[in-house]
Amino acid sequence: MKATQVTLGIDIGGTNTVFGLVDSDGKRYYHNSIPTDTSKEPPKLFSNICTHVESFLEDSQFKLVGVGIGAPNANYYSGKIENPVNLDWGYVNVVDFFKKYFKVPSFVTNDANAAAIGEMKFGVARDMKNFIEITLGTGLGSGLVVNGEVVYGHDGFAGELGHVEVRENGRECGCGQKGCLETYASASGLVRTTLELLAYYRDKSSLREIQPINLTSKKVYELAIDGDKIAKKAFDITGHYLGKAFANFTAALSPEAFILYGGLANAGDILIDPTKETMEEDMMPNFKDKVKILLSGLPSDEVAVMGTAALAWHELSK
């Protein structure tokens, strides 16, 4: 019986690392998750992953042909994870480790770029060559695809659209700058906007019954759906900043679509509608009504593994 070819997709997070085996059609055959445990040296984590995968492969009809890794501050060119904020590792050549261990081609990029490749290989961007993947979680990440390839720039770190300034002397950002897009258009940005609105307006709102420390973007969403004026206005403002940024990004790259995924993207139309409205208002005339805003076509619990596995398939196809 001929073995099914699969790639290993690995997503290294600050808390947990998920990994799985995926074939070229996007069918997942294996999935696992282990604590990242940053107190230990990186090779300990990598070896643990390899042990789990090897154990599965020994008793199966699968052939591993490549490895794709997603990680914060991952550099596609160098193969290294370079001094990530939430992983006290310094510089680690993760590609070299897995290439030597499994003796197959291995590749690394950040999570947003991996998600973009997963979208192009297995999701709603299968027929697209030019689009921008936007990850809306605690922060805002982005993966730029131009002519069917991810844009890495000259140093491997292109595509940090979350750190484009959208408001002069605006909110302080974790990157050290002020007024970055992710401080306004993200789950944490939505909460900050909501708290500002509660302080500025006197409208009745169920949000006032929630202690600020307990306020979440999910709760704001639930109350917005129920018609809470402050919660709805918070989404309108978030969409406004996102839409203005999309109009600017379109002028530079002319994407066919912006594809959203992540916790905040699950808000759907209550976020997309004001984003689309502002984007079209601010768009150059020759781009109006040409750019779509879509939700990811990948299952939310599989984006990380599907994206990193797709990275390997995409590179192997070159």
Side-chain angles (χ1 to χ4, degrees):
M1 183 177 178
K2 187 177 179 180
T4 300
Q5 292 189 339
V6 292
T7 61
L8 170 61
I10 304 167
D11 181 77
I12 301 171
T15 304
N16 293 304
T17 293
V18 296
F19 50 98
L21 297 169
V22 180
D23 69 13
S24 59
D25 293 322
K27 183 175 180 180
R28 192 179 69 180
Y29 293 94
Y30 170 73
H31 185 270
N32 207 337
S33 175
I34 57 176
T36 301
D37 194 355
T38 57
S39 66
K40 296 180 180 178
E41 292 297 312
K44 293 283 187 181
L45 171 67
F46 303 159
S47 295
N48 196 0
I49 294 169
C50 294
T51 299
H52 282 286
V53 173
E54 271 197 325
S55 178
F56 176 81
L57 290 173
E58 283 177 356
D59 300 317
S60 64
Q61 296 296 318
F62 298 101
K63 179 182 178 181
L64 183 65
V65 296
V67 179
I69 307 116
N73 279 39
N75 192 319
Y76 169 81
Y77 294 137
S78 69
K80 297 177 181 179
I81 301 172
E82 301 187 1
N83 204 27
V85 175
N86 59 344
L87 298 171
D88 189 21
W89 287 353
Y91 289 73
V92 181
N93 196 320
V94 62
V95 163
D96 190 54
F97 181 95
F98 284 99
K99 186 184 293 184
K100 288 181 178 177
Y101 192 99
F102 286 116
K103 296 178 173 57
V104 296
S106 301
F107 315 91
V108 69
T109 191
N110 66 39
D111 60 343
N113 287 336
I117 298 170
E119 212 69 65
M120 185 166 53
K121 180 73 176 173
F122 305 128
V124 297
R126 290 189 194 200
D127 298 320
M128 295 183 195
K129 295 293 185 182
N130 297 275
F131 67 93
I132 297 176
E133 186 91 0
I134 299 291
T135 69
L136 295 171
T138 303
L140 186 151
S142 54
L144 317 181
V145 175
V146 175
N147 296 331
E149 294 292 340
V150 171
V151 176
Y152 290 108
H154 84 280
D155 62 352
F157 292 110
E160 292 290 348
L161 299 183
H163 299 287
V164 170
E165 183 184 291
V166 294
R167 186 166 180 174
E168 187 175 3
N169 293 318
R171 294 171 179 171
E172 291 188 355
C173 181
C175 73
Q177 305 300 314
K178 289 184 177 181
C180 291
L181 176 61
E182 80 167 22
T183 66
Y184 295 93
S186 63
S188 59
L190 175 71
V191 170
R192 292 171 77 171
T193 297
T194 303
L195 292 173
E196 288 176 2
L197 291 173
L198 287 170
Y200 189 80
Y201 292 101
R202 299 181 62 185
D203 301 60
K204 290 183 179 179
S205 172
S206 297
L207 290 161
R208 300 189 189 280
E209 301 170 11
I210 304 171
Q211 290 292 323
I213 196 171
N214 296 325
L215 185 61
T216 64
S217 59
K218 182 179 179 182
K219 191 62 181 177
V220 178
Y221 164 74
E222 291 171 348
L223 290 173
I225 291 296
D226 286 342
D228 187 284
K229 289 183 179 180
I230 295 290
K232 180 64 169 60
K233 188 171 182 61
F235 270 99
D236 289 343
I237 291 172
T238 302
H240 172 78
Y241 280 109
L242 203 55
K244 289 184 75 68
F246 284 5
N248 288 331
F249 300 158
T250 297
L253 294 173
S254 185
E256 180 177 344
F258 289 94
I259 301 173
L260 314 182
Y261 95 93
L264 188 59
N266 294 331
D269 289 344
I270 200 167
L271 174 65
I272 292 176
D273 287 348
T275 300
K276 181 74 171 178
E277 181 179 353
T278 301
M279 181 182 75
E280 293 296 346
E281 286 177 354
D282 284 24
M283 197 81 84
M284 288 178 61
N286 51 315
F287 293 121
K288 284 184 180 293
D289 300 316
K290 290 182 179 179
V291 184
K292 300 184 283 272
I293 299 178
L294 305 173
L295 293 177
S296 171
L298 300 174
S300 59
D301 61 338
E302 297 183 12
V303 169
V305 168
M306 297 292 282
T308 49
L311 167 65
W313 282 118
H314 182 71
E315 294 297 324
L316 290 169
S317 69
K318 294 181 179 179

